[in-house]
Amino acid sequence: MFGRIGRFAVLRPWVTISAWLVAAVALAALAPQLKSTSDQAEFLPSHYESVQAARAQERAFPQNEQPAAVAVFQRTDRKALTEADKAAVAKAAAGLQDKGLPKIKAVTSSPEAVSANGEIALAQVLASVKDPYDPELGESVEKLREEARSLLAGTDLTVGLTGAAASAVDAKEASGDTDAMIMSATLVLIVVLLLVIFRSPLIAILPVVVISLAFMVATGLISTAAELGGLKADASISAILIVVLFGVGTDYILFLLFRYREQLRGGQDPKQAMISAVALVGETITSAAAAVVVAFLALLLSTMGMLRAMGPSLAISVAVALVAGLTLVPAVFSLLGTKAFWPSKAWRKEPRNALAGSIGSVAAKRPGIVAGVTAAVLAVLAVGALGFQPKFDTDSSLPQDLESVTAMKDLQRGFAAGQTDPTAVFLEKRDGTALDPAQLEAFGAALKIEGVGQVSPARTGANGAVAQYSVVLEYRPTEDKALDLVAGPLRDAAHRAAPEGTRALVGGTSAVLGDISTAVSRDYTVVFPAAGLAIMLILGLLLRSVVAPLYLMASVALGFAATLGATVWVFQEGAGEQGLLFTLPVIVYLFVVAIGTDYNILMVSRLREEIGAGRAPREAVRRAVTASAPTITAAAIILAGTFGVLMLAKNSMLQQMGFAVAFGILLTAFIMALLLVPTLTSLLGHRAWWPGHRDTLPAAPGGAGAAPGTGTGTGGSAAGDGPRADDRSLV
């Protein structure tokens, strides 16, 4: 099949290229735009209490203003506020209210909004939208900051804005042009590395052009599926698509180009060499892509809408990268022939590559020692994963000199930290009748537990059946103490105090994050095993073996734990972080386990090919490692470098993400794919391929290199299909 695909693309290049161009232009012009969403219901199922609380609020208080930010006023000398200062605060709040900025519902201050020590005064900024990341609200917050300073000119007061919307503005500023930085760094890495490997400007640039075209097609298909097929997706997926498409797409192109160059060195003409390359690696690339696709689709089992939306979108992008690698790349290079390598002539000969040869020789001669040492290294790193502490406090990851961070510290000099975003507690009468005032007072008193700084009087809805209490915690809404308090003691107290015939619901930021924590923990026990079983099935079909997929997935699981453990050692133990990004295990799963499995598949496919040619397991290991090392090295460096750029960001959570994925990719490539997997295969020998024993079959006459159009992809080692007799190198 793959031989036929390659033959069509190579012999009809303009038809293939035209089809891609038409698809890209049509989708770019006709596909709808992806829309952003931040509805809590999109992130959590309806049975979670925080979602039910949000819906109760929408029913009873449809016009309710949402806390967006808090203006924190203080004297420049940090002394107690004078009466003149308090008057200036009230005047400034009124002035900000009069500005009538978009999405700003009200700016209010009162005599009660002065701290007990008299040093801090607050003004509440209420918004007409729930989403703190709303672009128009963000612009208004920035304008409020400018206007507040102007209104305080000539006084002894300073002001700073903190709270959800202010933190969102600062987070955006701190991250800067992260997407642009990732894209730029990715392009530079791809171009520079391909230029170093192939010494050809055309080969360095063409993959970027090809993947850019694939990116247009993928985003168009995703937005169309979102509009017509009910697929959940939003504009935030674009950043991650950049990494996935350019990372995975470059991997597949490298798999193909290295084999194409190998066929050329074997004496085949350019068109036949490309057809042979597609026939030989088509099954490998397809299996690798299938493993990544099913891993992403396993996210559909998640209880979190955010992950369920991400899975199909990423699966579509990988499928597009696969089709581009099997059709568009062969078509483009068939037009150029050997001119694609201009001005280099190195493609004509096999230069020495001592390092790849040495790795292959060591893996073949000392498989037991190599397997033992690499497994021990991974096991030691994996121990660190036991200390993983999920962290939901995204605000603490921001640079400490941002206004929202410093204003929060100032606020805590006089008020409870939860003042910026109070927890909302609702009491609802089940039969829809009005709540009793005495019950409301008793219920509010029951909420004043340890860790709660203040509970406002009940505010009832239009028919009196629902009452809302604003509960100010002593902790910042996103820190672990707040999550533990809301998810545990506060909810327990509210449920116990709810009178007969009513129900209590606890919502707000802390409650949502607490429920997300529960959902993520549940997802780990469902999504990961389901993805592992699906990948094992694909490996079994590719290798026609039951044993090989078992130890491959065991090594992948060990690599996952080692990556997470290394990140814990570096950031929690080394840098003193209180915890790591709560979605980090999912991120490692997506980009290390799923995408990193490509390198294992490439290695075992080459091992199967060498063993199928009649070679002994250890000789097959030597030749397979020597042949695959350059491809895996180049692909891993590009992908790891792409994520490594995130370590340049000021946000510590982006730094954690960048380190974890970059380290995990390098670990998967250099430790697992080049050392652990081939040595385990060597130690198991023929048992690795049970029950098929495909390794006992003799090479087909003439090999795949002589019959490239057959599409079997499993032929022998004829000229151009594998190392030559001297086997000095394959690069």
Side-chain angles (χ1 to χ4, degrees):
M1 179 180 72
F2 296 104
R4 290 193 293 272
I5 292 173
R7 186 176 295 279
F8 180 90
V10 169
L11 299 183
R12 296 174 178 81
W14 288 114
V15 173
T16 304
I17 295 171
S18 298
W20 273 94
L21 289 173
V22 169
V25 173
L27 287 169
L30 302 177
Q33 293 293 317
L34 286 172
K35 301 176 182 178
S36 297
T37 178
S38 62
D39 188 350
Q40 291 176 358
E42 295 294 326
F43 294 90
L44 288 168
S46 59
H47 67 268
Y48 282 96
E49 186 171 328
S50 60
V51 178
Q52 295 177 17
R55 293 179 178 174
Q57 182 181 34
E58 291 173 358
R59 292 194 305 270
F61 307 98
Q63 303 300 320
N64 184 39
E65 299 94 350
Q66 304 296 322
V70 175
V72 181
F73 297 87
Q74 62 180 326
R75 288 181 58 85
T76 54
D77 57 12
R78 296 205 165 194
K79 294 181 178 180
L81 299 170
T82 65
E83 291 303 318
D85 294 331
K86 295 175 185 178
V89 169
K91 182 178 179 181
L96 294 175
Q97 170 71 38
D98 293 340
K99 297 296 180 183
L101 296 173
K103 302 294 177 72
I104 300 297
K105 189 79 172 179
V107 181
T108 63
S109 180
S110 65
E112 294 77 18
V114 178
S115 63
N117 61 13
E119 295 179 0
I120 305 295
L122 304 180
Q124 297 290 337
V125 179
L126 304 177
S128 58
V129 293
K130 294 190 297 182
D131 183 11
Y133 291 90
D134 182 274
E136 199 170 5
L137 176 60
E139 293 176 2
S140 293
V141 167
E142 291 180 320
K143 189 67 175 176
L144 278 177
R145 283 175 167 169
E146 297 175 7
E147 296 293 344
R149 293 185 181 91
S150 175
L151 290 169
L152 292 177
T155 71
D156 295 322
L157 298 174
T158 63
V159 64
L161 257 66
T162 188
S167 294
V169 170
D170 288 345
K172 182 179 179 181
E173 177 187 339
S175 62
D177 297 326
T178 300
D179 288 357
M181 180 176 65
I182 292 174
M183 175 69 84
S184 301
T186 301
L187 296 181
V188 170
L189 280 168
I190 292 174
V191 171
V192 170
L193 191 54
L194 291 179
L195 192 60
V196 170
I197 294 170
F198 294 100
R199 302 179 182 87
S200 165
L202 276 176
I203 290 185
I205 295 173
L206 282 176
V208 174
V209 176
V210 168
I211 298 172
S212 298
L213 193 62
F215 180 80
M216 294 173 60
V217 172
T219 51
L221 288 175
I222 292 168
S223 61
T224 301
E227 184 75 16
L228 302 179
L231 170 68
K232 296 292 184 182
D234 65 87
S236 64
I237 196 69
S238 297
I240 203 167
L241 283 181
I242 295 172
V243 176
V244 170
L245 265 173
F246 278 87
V248 173
T250 304
D251 277 4
Y252 299 160
I253 291 174
L254 285 174
F255 291 175
L256 184 65
L257 289 184
F258 271 94
R259 205 55 183 260
Y260 173 52
R261 189 176 65 176
E262 190 176 324
Q263 299 302 105
L264 288 174
R265 288 172 177 172
Q268 292 187 356
D269 67 85
K271 289 186 180 296
Q272 191 62 58
M274 181 55 76
I275 296 173
S276 297
V278 176
L280 288 165
V281 300
E283 185 179 21
T284 299
I285 295 176
T286 302
S287 299
V292 179
V293 166
V294 298
F296 287 154
L297 290 179
L299 292 176
L300 288 171
L301 300 175
S302 171
T303 56
M304 292 183 61
M306 177 178 62
L307 295 180
R308 289 199 307 273
M310 185 186 298
S313 300
L314 295 179
I316 289 173
S317 68
V318 173
V320 171
L322 168 65
V323 176
L326 294 178
T327 60
L328 184 58
V329 175
V332 170
F333 280 88
S334 71
L335 294 175
L336 297 172
T338 57
K339 294 184 181 67
F341 296 97
W342 180 88
S344 173
K345 297 181 180 179
W347 63 270
R348 296 179 179 177
K349 55 184 179 180
E350 296 176 6
R352 294 182 178 275
N353 191 324
L355 183 58
S358 298
I359 294 173
S361 296
V362 171
K365 292 178 181 178
R366 302 285 188 272
I369 294 176
V370 173
V373 171
T374 53
V377 170
L378 293 174
V380 169
L381 292 175
V383 171
L386 299 176
F388 173 73
Q389 293 292 331
K391 183 178 182 180
F392 295 84
D393 188 2
T394 55
D395 291 346
S396 67
S397 66
L398 296 174
Q400 296 301 297
D401 59 348
L402 294 176
E403 181 175 325
S404 60
V405 177
T406 57
M408 171 59 78
K409 293 177 181 177
D410 292 332
L411 179 148
Q412 292 180 68
R413 288 174 41 222
F415 292 91
Q419 189 77 41
T420 59
D421 190 0
T423 294
V425 180
F426 299 89
L427 185 64
E428 183 176 25
K429 196 74 175 290
R430 294 185 183 276
D431 60 8
T433 59
L435 290 160
D436 181 76
Q439 292 179 328
L440 293 178
E441 185 176 350
F443 182 79
L447 299 178
K448 296 178 181 179
I449 62 174
E450 185 178 355
V452 171
Q454 178 185 344
V455 178
S456 69
R459 188 165 70 96
T460 57
N463 62 359
V466 179
Q468 177 181 350
Y469 299 81
S470 182
V471 179
V472 176
L473 306 181
E474 294 179 355
Y475 316 111
R476 281 184 293 108
T478 57
E479 67 177 299
D480 292 342
K481 291 181 179 179
L483 271 60
D484 294 339
L485 175 62
V486 169
L490 183 59
R491 272 184 177 162
D492 293 341
H495 295 165
R496 284 195 305 266
E500 185 177 354
T502 67
R503 68 167 181 167
L505 299 170
V506 179
T509 300
S510 301
V512 169
L513 292 177
D515 288 342
I516 287 176
S517 175
T518 302
V520 169
S521 298
R522 176 265 177 197
D523 288 349
Y524 291 161
T525 63
V526 175
V527 174
F528 290 178
L533 289 174
I535 293 175
M536 283 181 63
L537 178 61
I538 291 172
L539 290 172
L541 294 174
L542 169 67
L543 303 174
R544 284 75 164 177
S545 167
V546 172
V547 176
L550 291 175
Y551 70 80
L552 283 174
M553 287 308 298
S555 66
V556 166
L558 186 58
F560 169 84
T563 300
L564 191 59
T567 310
V568 170
W569 290 120
V570 171
F571 287 94
Q572 284 186 201
E573 304 299 330
E577 295 282 353
Q578 296 300 310
L580 301 178
L581 178 63
F582 73 96
T583 56
L584 194 62
V586 175
I587 292 168
V588 172
Y589 154 76
L590 288 175
F591 295 104
V592 177
V593 175
I595 297 177
T597 300
D598 289 1
Y599 308 136
N600 287 335
I601 290 176
L602 180 67
M603 177 57 69
V604 294
S605 297
R606 190 62 184 243
L607 278 169
R608 184 193 63 177
E609 185 179 322
E610 296 293 343
I611 291 176
R615 296 185 175 89
R618 293 194 177 187
E619 174 62 12
V621 166
R622 184 183 70 83
R623 297 170 70 89
V625 172
T626 305
S628 303
T631 309
I632 292 175
T633 298
I637 289 176
I638 288 176
L639 190 58
T642 300
F643 280 96
V645 173
L646 292 177
M647 296 181 68
L648 301 176
K650 295 180 180 179
N651 189 306
S652 64
M653 290 193 173
L654 289 179
Q655 294 171 1
Q656 294 168 16
M657 184 192 306
F659 172 84
V661 177
F663 182 84
I665 291 293
L666 296 176
L667 195 72
T668 300
F670 296 114
I671 301 297
M672 292 168 56
L674 292 181
L675 295 175
L676 184 59
V677 168
T679 52
L680 287 176
T681 304
S682 176
L683 292 171
L684 288 170
H686 297 305
R687 294 186 296 273
W689 312 102
W690 184 87
H693 290 301
R694 293 290 300 271
D695 57 318
T696 61
L697 297 177
T710 62
T712 63
T714 59
S717 185
D721 181 25
R724 295 186 176 186
D726 59 0
D727 196 42
R728 289 190 300 254
S729 172
L730 277 171
V731 189

